[in-house]
Amino acid sequence: MASALVLLLLFWLAKNAQVEGFAYFMNIALIGVTLGAVYALVALGYTLVYGILELINFAHGDVFMMGGMISATMIISVFNLGAHNSTFSVVAAVAVSLLVAMAGCGLLNATIERIAYRPLRHAPRLAPLITAIGMSFVLEDIAILWKHPSYVQTPSVLPHGNVFSISGVTYTWEKLIVVLITIPVLLALVWLVQRTRQGKAMRATAQDREAAAMMGINVNRTISFTFALAGALAGAGGLLYALYFNEIRYDTGYKLGLIAFTAAVLGGIGNLPGAVLGALVIGFIQAFNEGLTWHSPGSDWTESIVFSILILILVFRPSGLLGEQTPEGG
Amino acid sequence: MSGEPLLQTFALRKEFGGLVANNDVDFVVPEGGIVSLIGPNGAGKTTFFNMLTGVYKPTDGTIVFNGEDMTGKPPHAYTERGIGRTFQNIRLFQNMTALENVLVGMHTRLKSHLVGALLRTPHVRREEREARERARELLEFSGLRGKDSVVGRSLSYGDQRRLEVARALATRPKLLLLDEPTAGMNPQETAEFTAFVAKLRSQEHLSVLLIEHDMKVVMGVSDTITVLDYGEKIAEGTPAEIQKNERVIEAYLGSAAVSS
Amino acid sequence: MRRGRISERWWALLGRFGLTQQRWGSWPAWMRRLVKATTWLGLGLILTAAFGTWTTSALAVAAVVLLIVVPPWDRLPNIGPYRTGRWIPWLIALGFVVAYPYYVNGLPQLPVFGPFPNVHTMVVAGIFTMMALGLNFVVGYAGLLDLGYVAFYAMGAYVCGWFASEQFAGQHIDVGAVGLQQGWIGIHLSIWLVLPIAGLMTALIGVIIGLPTLRLRGDYLAIVTLGFGEIMPQVADNGNNLGGFNLTNGTGGITSIDGPGFGHGTVARALHLPASYLGAGNLDSLFFWTVIVLVLITIFCSARLRDSRLGRAWIAIREDETAAAAMGIPLMRTKTWSYATGAFFGGVAGAYYSSYNGGAFPDQFLFQISVFILCMVILGGMGSIPGVMLGAWFLAYLDQEGLSNVGGWINSHFNTNINVPNYEFGIYGLIIVVVMLLRPEGLIPSSRRAAELHEGVHDEPLYDVEELNAPLTEPTV
């Protein structure tokens, strides 16, 4: 059954590649990679938190949105960037914005955990999920209060020139930059989780909270750290979103958060490489659905398709593509 | 004393990941018998129990109850066919009253459903009245007279154990599975409980399968004893035979030496 | 613990004025009620005089409340098996609710909140009360978090649209419909028929959604229901061209849905029942009285089912799924029943709402509405019928009138310019967080649920206990 579906999907892709021509197909795929990179940053946050607390941090998408808002503020109000700026000042401004967005969202996420989830550590397990939903709405309204309900437009400061253009396949700089920012952030995450003391504490806490506490690990601090880390990733995602899509609104995070959560589930929730893989798959699916024309449902149905994937995965293969693990083990 | 086999397992096996919790266990509880399952901590007794009640699905092997193959059926099917159980770490419905706990146990023996419950037909009303009466009788039988409307969490430890048994009896079992029922009881409570188990067989004509650590209880009440160690059945026999069995002594001494 | 300390301090303070807890306890119950009610009402009257618009009718309202609350009704003799004392205060209260449209305009202005809600608001509040009570079957009784309840509301609304409007122009069917114009087209069933049909079809959807998903653990189930709740409006949005077939009329929605009515039959005329609600001058009042009946039916079903074998099974599952299964409760079937029951009332409420609105529009069915209804259940008290009703009524009132009134009051008193209704959902979010943190049992708790939320429950799902590595096994139906 599943393999039949995959075959059908492959046939649909191949047929589209034939109808549209290979170059067009590849261009769409490159959009998919870019989307996937943004989704990956957010999906990792879901997976990190789920791994350690078994909590779907529903407000995570909105933390991402706040990251976008912080970035927009930095780009517009603090640096006043526009097309006129020199390459160096853009790079410096983007780097500073990235750090500010990551720090701000890390702090925000850890604060949310402290206020809304920690007091419920021993309550029934649905209780923190419910407060997470509440926090999600609160964050959206803070964004409305701060930025009004309309879209915040950010200037397009990334260069749009071609990195390469080979027989119709063109890769533009702004797409490459999204990936170029994502990769070091991911590498830093891997290093942090696998090599540092704090990362080891996270892995131990995820495995068995009580045992970790008995071995002298400060569980509360480790959980705070995990939330801060997840928030920082979301902040980086928010910056990329603001730079790449150039507009962001209070409810951007809700929709994108659900898509990213789907990616985390698809990869196997709790599994870090899985989240990245899932995000890429979802990115491709979205790009192909919206870009290809031969019998594709089109952008009207993107969310339905993503949520159908979410439902099917949870019902038929809840461990995802790579298997459910303690997050940091993989 | 013991008649036809009521419950039988054939090469019952359970693995968790690579870990073998139960290794091809063949096992019989005869009708009207009291059988004990003993073994050192971690020998796989509770895993075995959980398979016999459908909570775990066996990796391999067969469970036959009352002549019917029950392998792979969901827990409520086991209860319906007549296997009642208690839990090692008491699992009452803590915020329901004693009476409600017992009424939940009667679930499979009652018939009222949505429409009947909405209209409260005479039939449903009578069924409900009779169920409550029987629940009170069961509470009394289990030594919980006058505690009908006390919620689970407010009962004393011993009473919670008794309520678990009453709740299991409410399912009208043919076979009652008791998982360490005397854990945490004082000697007097334990003695009362042993007498109670004997009474279950003589008055209610139940078969009983018991997991127990207290050897006094085990030796006093069982017809046969099965010993598990590291998931394997290492011995089976009457209390007298088991007391003399070398492998059993070794298993216990060995584990005692490690754990204490 | 914290609440205990507050009440201790409270009693210490009262004790200084000679009112110790023992003394209070020695008074007869009616006197305690009198003192309590007088205190609260007095406070209310003072506030009304200070911040509201004072009319003598405020005194009348206070007197009526005193008259319902204080007398020792429980001393009344029983009539047969029926305890009159329990029913009389509720019947009087119901009488006042039914008469609401007649005296609402004479009521005083409340402090901060302004005028009492108008009849239109009361109709909407009634509809949301039904939905909240429906969700209460799922969240409150069976302990399953449903984040896509709006899907059931949408389903009910569209069923009403299909069977009581001109949506299917190719058809020409009339079964007891009222108020049809000359040259009508489409399917027109009587709304009284449409309501149960919508309920049943929605319940069926509930079963279809539930069967594959209800074996999932709680948080996964919540997300899956959310997924369905998101897919539904997108289907409604894009459903004007499903392979060429126009099911939902797309973003425009289905409009000019029929209203209810009793027609011109002899029985209807003899009982002075209105022929068609939409043509009547007191349209809101008619819809209001009808929704009271619907809410009463919902309350009746909620109470009956809670106290039945099925209700006990729901509560047992909520408390400890593994033990419930071991006691012979079929988990899947029982959960599905709670889902179907909840869906039924969501569907009926949705259908009724769309008949009242005269339309069903896809932008009514957002995730926010699911959370709105969930917030009602949480605020009032999960599992508690009076609590959920209070939560639903209050939040629906805030949504319709309260927030803008309060916003107006804030802006005029503090010289600000905040558009308070803009922040509606953030306010609900805040309510959810605050209630979950400080009073998880809600305003009017059911005693059992309160203990669970404070002491915790055995809520690890059954199949988690077993399957450490293997994927989840086949459903247990």
Side-chain angles (χ1 to χ4, degrees):
Chain A
M1 176 67 184
S3 49
L5 270 177
V6 170
L7 278 178
L8 200 68
L9 192 70
L10 288 178
F11 170 73
W12 175 73
L13 285 178
K15 181 73 186 168
N16 260 299
Q18 189 210 337
V19 171
E20 305 282 353
F22 183 71
Y24 181 83
F25 183 82
M26 281 310 289
N27 285 332
I28 299 286
L30 286 172
I31 294 176
V33 175
T34 318
L35 284 174
V38 178
Y39 292 159
L41 288 171
V42 184
L44 281 167
Y46 281 106
T47 257
L48 278 168
V49 166
Y50 197 91
I52 208 154
L53 272 189
E54 296 221 329
L55 164 71
I56 298 171
N57 182 10
F58 203 88
H60 190 73
D62 300 288
V63 173
F64 153 83
M65 176 273 297
M66 290 305 260
M69 292 299 186
I70 294 173
S71 308
T73 311
M74 294 296 292
I75 292 168
I76 299 167
S77 311
V78 178
F79 295 109
N80 194 16
L81 286 189
H84 57 276
N85 291 90
S86 68
T87 312
F88 175 77
S89 58
V90 168
V91 170
V94 167
V96 174
S97 304
L98 179 69
L99 289 179
V100 172
M102 287 177 79
C105 287
L107 189 68
L108 177 64
N109 211 22
T111 312
I112 292 172
E113 189 272 331
R114 182 70 193 80
I115 296 172
Y117 309 151
R118 191 177 298 178
L120 295 174
R121 201 79 40 90
H122 301 287
R125 53 187 279 167
L126 287 178
L129 176 58
I130 294 173
T131 51
I133 294 165
M135 284 314 292
S136 156
F137 280 76
V138 171
L139 287 179
E140 284 178 24
D141 270 18
I142 292 175
I144 294 180
L145 205 59
W146 183 23
K147 296 283 182 190
H148 303 291
S150 50
Y151 276 103
V152 177
Q153 311 282 345
T154 51
S156 105
V157 292
L158 299 183
H160 283 68
N162 289 346
V163 184
F164 60 77
S165 177
I166 306 164
S167 58
V169 182
T170 50
Y171 195 36
T172 48
W173 273 105
E174 96 268 9
K175 293 200 190 76
L176 179 64
I177 289 169
V178 168
V179 178
L180 281 184
I181 296 179
T182 306
I183 286 175
V185 172
L186 292 187
L187 289 178
L189 175 71
V190 171
W191 171 79
L192 202 69
V193 168
Q194 299 205 328
R195 298 265 176 254
T196 64
R197 248 180 93 81
Q198 198 49 256
K200 280 176 191 149
M202 271 171 65
R203 273 149 55 194
T205 310
Q207 290 268 342
D208 184 338
R209 207 183 301 160
E210 277 166 28
M214 273 190 277
M215 278 160 24
I217 291 172
N218 183 338
V219 170
N220 276 335
R221 208 181 66 195
T222 308
I223 290 174
S224 289
F225 177 78
T226 310
F227 271 84
L229 192 61
L233 293 170
L239 174 88
L240 293 183
Y241 190 92
L243 286 177
Y244 183 73
F245 290 97
N246 301 117
E247 60 176 17
I248 190 160
R249 200 169 69 165
Y250 69 97
D251 63 352
T252 306
Y254 163 68
K255 289 270 154 72
L256 193 136
L258 284 176
I259 294 175
F261 178 74
T262 306
V265 169
L266 180 63
I269 190 139
N271 183 318
L272 295 187
V276 178
L277 175 72
L280 286 173
V281 172
I282 296 284
F284 281 128
I285 288 174
Q286 182 178 350
F288 287 142
N289 174 50
E290 294 177 0
L292 300 180
T293 52
W294 186 78
H295 283 283
S296 86
S299 61
D300 280 351
W301 293 99
T302 298
E303 275 162 44
S304 292
I305 292 171
V306 171
F307 292 131
S308 304
I309 293 172
L310 174 69
I311 293 167
L312 291 175
I313 289 282
L314 282 178
V315 170
F316 292 107
R317 199 183 158 83
S319 54
L321 294 177
L322 295 191
E324 199 173 338
Q325 304 184 358
T326 46
E328 292 77 15
Chain B
M1 179 119 254
S2 38
E4 292 289 293
L6 179 63
L7 174 82
Q8 276 178 294
T9 70
F10 301 100
L12 201 60
R13 184 181 186 84
K14 180 71 191 176
E15 295 173 16
F16 293 109
L19 192 83
V20 182
N22 282 139
N23 192 358
D24 299 346
V25 180
D26 292 318
F27 182 77
V28 183
V29 180
E31 212 162 328
I34 296 184
V35 177
S36 287
L37 192 62
I38 65 171
N41 281 327
K45 301 177 301 257
T46 297
T47 306
F48 192 66
F49 242 54
N50 281 336
M51 284 195 283
L52 295 186
T53 50
V55 173
Y56 291 176
K57 293 196 176 16
T59 315
D60 206 355
T62 320
I63 301 168
V64 176
F65 181 72
N66 216 4
E68 185 182 356
D69 183 354
M70 297 293 294
T71 323
K73 295 233 162 79
H76 65 89
Y78 283 80
T79 317
E80 237 167 68
R81 304 303 193 284
I83 299 184
R85 76 168 289 179
T86 67
F87 292 88
Q88 185 182 347
N89 45 346
I90 304 173
R91 300 189 79 148
L92 290 172
F93 305 114
Q94 296 282 2
N95 302 300
M96 297 174 104
T97 65
L99 190 79
E100 286 171 327
N101 265 282
V102 176
L103 284 172
V104 170
M106 291 180 180
H107 190 87
T108 52
R109 309 297 168 213
L110 303 178
K111 288 187 185 61
S112 93
H113 213 68
L114 199 76
V115 177
L118 284 178
L119 302 179
R120 240 177 236 175
T121 56
H123 173 79
V124 168
R125 243 183 278 182
R126 192 178 59 236
E127 185 186 79
E128 187 72 15
R129 199 173 52 236
E130 284 168 4
R132 278 167 195 274
E133 253 162 51
R134 185 169 149 67
R136 278 195 201 94
E137 280 167 24
L138 274 171
L139 285 173
E140 222 174 294
F141 179 77
S142 315
L144 291 166
R145 182 205 292 264
K147 294 187 175 148
D148 296 5
S149 50
V150 183
V151 293
R153 70 166 75 250
S154 311
L155 289 170
S156 73
Y157 186 80
D159 280 351
Q160 292 198 8
R161 286 258 176 234
R162 273 185 271 273
L163 180 54
E164 261 215 322
V165 176
R167 188 179 67 173
L169 288 176
T171 67
R172 293 221 195 120
K174 298 189 177 73
L175 171 67
L176 185 62
L177 272 58
L178 301 172
D179 196 347
E180 298 197 21
T182 66
M185 285 189 181
N186 63 35
Q188 199 214 327
E189 281 176 324
T190 306
E192 279 172 23
F193 193 83
T194 315
F196 178 67
V197 171
K199 186 169 93 171
L200 284 179
R201 167 159 63 179
S202 55
Q203 289 191 7
E204 304 279 305
H205 311 291
L206 285 180
S207 315
V208 179
L209 170 56
L210 193 68
I211 292 183
E212 191 46 77
H213 274 302
D214 188 329
M215 285 304 144
K216 231 192 247 157
V217 177
V218 173
M219 298 300 163
V221 79
S222 324
D223 303 330
T224 56
I225 298 173
T226 299
V227 189
L228 285 185
D229 190 25
Y230 292 110
E232 309 236 12
K233 186 168 85 175
I234 58 169
E236 191 168 38
T238 63
E241 287 164 6
I242 293 297
Q243 271 169 321
K244 280 178 286 186
N245 187 307
E246 299 240 327
R247 279 192 73 184
V248 176
I249 295 165
E250 192 188 318
Y252 267 89
L253 284 182
S255 79
V258 172
S259 67
S260 61
Chain C
M1 289 174 297
R2 192 176 350 196
R3 280 174 60 206
R5 257 187 284 138
I6 288 175
S7 81
E8 264 168 44
R9 265 187 237 157
W10 184 231
W11 279 116
L13 184 75
L14 285 179
R16 263 190 240 163
F17 297 100
L19 183 67
T20 57
Q21 201 166 357
Q22 289 88 337
R23 193 155 185 201
W24 170 258
S26 69
W27 292 355
W30 65 267
M31 194 150 128
R32 277 181 280 166
R33 282 199 296 269
L34 178 67
V35 172
K36 263 202 253 182
T38 321
T39 313
W40 285 116
L41 287 171
L43 203 65
L45 288 177
I46 292 169
L47 286 175
T48 307
F51 298 103
T53 308
W54 177 263
T55 56
T56 41
S57 52
L59 284 174
V61 172
V64 165
V65 173
L66 272 183
L67 221 65
I68 298 180
V69 172
V70 174
W73 301 105
D74 43 323
R75 300 251 187 91
L76 287 175
N78 290 356
I79 302 174
Y82 300 105
R83 276 183 288 169
T84 36
R86 254 182 72 191
W87 292 105
I88 283 186
W90 292 113
L91 283 176
I92 297 174
L94 181 64
F96 277 102
V97 172
V98 170
Y100 189 76
Y102 293 114
Y103 61 77
V104 54
N105 291 326
L107 290 174
Q109 297 241 328
L110 295 169
V112 185
F113 286 94
F116 272 79
N118 59 35
V119 181
H120 167 80
T121 299
M122 293 297 271
V123 178
V124 176
I127 292 168
F128 273 100
T129 304
M130 258 186 101
M131 288 197 217
L133 284 172
L135 182 62
N136 189 43
F137 279 103
V138 184
V139 175
Y141 291 170
L144 307 164
L145 185 55
D146 183 349
L147 295 180
Y149 195 70
V150 75
F152 299 147
Y153 164 30
M155 187 67 202
Y158 274 97
V159 169
C160 189
W162 295 330
F163 290 141
S165 83
E166 305 194 335
Q167 171 64 11
F168 299 122
Q171 309 294 323
H172 194 84
I173 302 171
D174 169 17
V175 184
V178 293
L180 293 181
Q181 304 293 321
Q182 274 286 302
W184 58 274
I185 48 171
I187 306 175
H188 297 270
L189 306 190
S190 163
I191 293 298
W192 311 127
L193 270 177
V194 170
L195 293 183
I197 292 175
L200 290 174
M201 284 182 72
T202 312
L204 189 69
I205 292 287
V207 172
I208 292 170
I209 295 178
L211 279 180
T213 58
L214 280 170
R215 67 196 166 89
L216 297 174
R217 42 205 277 185
D219 47 356
Y220 282 7
L221 175 69
I223 293 296
V224 166
T225 53
L226 167 61
F228 277 112
E230 288 289 302
I231 290 173
M232 206 69 140
Q234 205 162 44
V235 172
D237 247 338
N238 304 323
N240 53 343
N241 185 10
L242 295 170
F245 181 67
N246 181 357
L247 185 66
T248 63
N249 210 27
T251 46
I254 300 178
T255 49
S256 60
I257 293 177
D258 303 345
F262 293 93
H264 296 284
T266 27
V267 183
R269 217 174 298 170
L271 294 172
H272 294 286
L273 294 172
S276 168
Y277 284 22
L278 294 188
N282 56 345
L283 174 145
D284 279 334
S285 302
L286 292 176
F287 272 97
F288 174 61
W289 291 321
T290 312
V291 84
I292 291 176
V293 175
L294 292 176
V295 168
L296 285 176
I297 293 173
T298 317
I299 296 172
F300 175 81
C301 295
S302 292
R304 278 272 164 106
L305 287 182
R306 179 193 60 201
D307 299 332
S308 73
R309 165 176 176 264
L310 192 59
R312 282 195 297 268
W314 286 335
I315 296 165
I317 288 179
R318 183 180 80 204
E319 292 225 349
D320 188 336
E321 203 169 293
T322 308
M327 291 307 116
I329 293 171
L331 298 181
M332 281 298 299
R333 205 182 306 156
T334 311
K335 287 181 181 179
T336 309
W337 273 115
S338 90
Y339 228 59
T341 320
F344 179 87
F345 290 106
V348 175
Y352 186 70
Y353 202 5
S354 70
S355 172
Y356 180 50
N357 270 343
F361 311 99
D363 57 2
Q364 285 174 303
F365 309 118
L366 301 174
F367 172 61
Q368 275 89 331
I369 304 299
S370 294
V371 175
F372 183 46
I373 302 172
L374 179 69
C375 186
M376 294 168 176
V377 176
I378 290 172
L379 175 67
M382 287 178 265
S384 144
I385 297 172
V388 169
M389 289 176 64
L390 176 71
W393 180 84
F394 181 62
L395 288 190
Y397 158 71
L398 280 189
D399 174 60
Q400 294 288 318
E401 288 185 56
L403 279 182
S404 55
N405 288 353
V406 173
W409 184 85
I410 291 175
N411 287 336
S412 68
H413 278 71
F414 298 102
N415 253 333
T416 49
N417 188 16
I418 309 169
N419 184 3
V420 173
N422 249 358
Y423 302 99
E424 186 177 0
F425 291 104
I427 292 167
Y428 301 148
L430 203 63
I431 290 177
I432 290 180
V433 174
V434 170
V435 171
M436 286 310 288
L437 291 179
L438 299 182
R439 197 178 160 86
E441 66 272 34
L443 292 179
I444 309 179
S446 80
S447 55
R448 183 157 25 227
R449 204 68 157 110
E452 281 169 29
L453 287 156
H454 283 289
E455 319 282 337
V457 291
H458 278 285
D459 61 351
E460 66 271 34
L462 173 58
Y463 292 97
D464 265 21
V465 181
E466 160 170 31
E467 303 299 339
L468 296 174
N469 294 299
L472 294 179
T473 42
E474 66 275 15
T476 21
V477 181

